[in-house]
Amino acid sequence: MKTTAIDFTRGHLLKKFIIFALPLIATGILQTLFNATDLVVVGNFAGEKALAAVGATSSLVYLIIGVATGIAVGSNVAMAVFIGAGDRGMVKKTVDTSVLVALACGLICATIGICGARVFLEGMGTPKDIIDQSVIYFRMYFLGVPASMLYNFCAGILRADGETRKPIIYLTISGVLNVGLNLVFVILFKMGAAGVGLATAISQYVAAGLVLKDMIKTNEVYKFDLKNITPSLSVLKKILGVGVPSGIQGSVFSLANIVVQSSINSLGSDVVAGNAAAGNFENFVYFAMNAFSVAVTTIVGQNIGAKKGRRVDKAILEGSILVTIVGLLTGLTLVFFGEEVARIYCPNSDAAVKYAKIRFLYISMPYFLCGVMEVLTGSLKACGYAIQTMIISLVICCGFRVLWLMTVFKALRTVQSIHIIYVITWVMCIIACAILYIFFAKKKLRQLKGEENDT
């Protein structure tokens, strides 16, 4: 079978890395721009309180969808391995199983989010002056979660086959719609945070519909045949074997971030607003780096399927170098232009701008460390070490961060003492993952080298 849009199992990796990653970077930037319009519109036309209301929900949103998006990683890895092995039958079963899993996860997450919104936000200590708007936004946002899950799974399937162009087209269409609806709902209908959430939900259904329609009509290996759906228990186990630990890992990050967000909430609305503005723009840095992390996971999966272990080492090295370069360049940009960026979100609040600039310095500048960490964790998942990476995240990114907040932050009560914990735990995770890869994962790769021909 030779249907992959980009075949990572032969030829020079660096060129293919860039060809694969550039559309992903553009997708991430566009997605961040569209998400940023939520905060820009609400901050400029509904005020800093509405901005803080939206920002206060971010960590909780990521927690609830974390498990589902983590399972999507399992789908991506399974697809890449079967594509690399040339097993068309298993590829079809993976596509069918993934679509059904996506819909199930989306409906479960939406139900939890809508029903538990107020309880969750009150438990996080959301300030009383923004709690009502936060609850409304949260519920509106989660109306669109089933569509968001479907889009993420389906886009991941296309990327596992090397196709990164179509997802960006569909995202652009839905994103433009999101911007237009934001303006209509917030400015014309005065819906505030609720309007932003509703606009996001509608645009997510458009994106999901477009990518699913493409999968139904295509003749590529990732075709989804509505008349012949063949889900597979063995594929489901493979997806869940990687996806559940990945989902738990993602939710662990989010759990820790909820504790962090609760600490930020305790410092007042100005801190919440400034943190929301900086955190949203910071996504530009994350998505630029994450494109290479996704590429590494796909490359590792394809080459393990094709029994070419030596290319895995090369992919991890080149991916780590690329995320470091991209992370440093984008992080420096946010530090040097921090005030101008923050003013886009908070034009009338000097206090919020000050706190946004602090976050840029402490988190955005060293954000490349997060990129290196994700390259390593993604590679380890593709190598079959999803549970081990989950444990590393559980101990370091959840346990250590919570311990830090209960001790250091409690003593200092400064926003700087919150932000610095991210850098510390990124470094700790990199060290732990490097040890796991060098002393354990490489043994599996050595077993593949006897059969490979890297021409």
Side-chain angles (χ1 to χ4, degrees), residues 59 253 256-258 260-261 264 275 282 359 362-363 366-367 369-370 373 397 401 404 417-428:
S59 295
F253 274 99
N257 288 339
I258 284 179
V260 173
Q261 185 66 53
I264 290 171
N275 191 73
E282 201 172 81
R359 179 174 175 122
Y362 277 79
I363 296 182
Y367 212 9
L369 294 169
C370 179
M373 178 187 72
C397 293
R401 285 181 185 177
W404 179 277
S417 65
I418 296 177
H419 294 332
I420 195 65
I421 188 56
Y422 284 100
V423 180
I424 294 172
T425 50
W426 290 336
V427 172
M428 293 172 67

Side-chain angles (χ1 to χ4, degrees), residues 120-135:
F120 296 149
L121 290 167
E122 287 179 347
M124 287 176 61
T126 304
K128 292 182 179 180
D129 56 345
I130 61 174
I131 183 68
D132 290 335
Q133 290 191 71
S134 292
V135 170

Side-chain angles (χ1 to χ4, degrees), residues 258-280:
I258 284 179
V259 178
V260 173
Q261 185 66 53
S262 298
S263 301
I264 290 171
N265 290 349
S266 72
L267 298 177
S269 297
D270 286 332
V271 178
V272 174
N275 191 73
N280 185 263

Side-chain angles (χ1 to χ4, degrees), residues 394-454:
L394 180 64
V395 173
I396 297 175
C397 293
C398 186
F400 190 78
R401 285 181 185 177
V402 171
L403 179 63
W404 179 277
L405 293 171
M406 292 174 61
T407 54
V408 178
F409 169 71
K410 186 175 181 180
L412 299 178
R413 296 286 300 172
T414 64
V415 72
Q416 291 91 336
S417 65
I418 296 177
H419 294 332
I420 195 65
I421 188 56
Y422 284 100
V423 180
I424 294 172
T425 50
W426 290 336
V427 172
M428 293 172 67
C429 275
I430 289 171
I431 295 171
C433 288
I435 292 172
L436 177 60
Y437 180 76
I438 292 169
F439 292 101
F440 295 93
K442 283 180 71 66
K443 291 182 179 179
K444 177 183 292 188
L445 300 179
R446 291 192 193 103
Q447 295 174 359
L448 302 177
K449 287 181 180 180
E451 304 179 43
E452 65 181 332
N453 179 12
D454 293 341

Side-chain angles (χ1 to χ4, degrees), residues 7-20:
D7 182 3
F8 289 112
T9 63
R10 65 188 68 204
H12 295 292
L13 279 178
L14 185 59
K15 181 180 178 180
K16 294 181 179 182
F17 237 130
I18 295 173
I19 292 173
F20 182 87

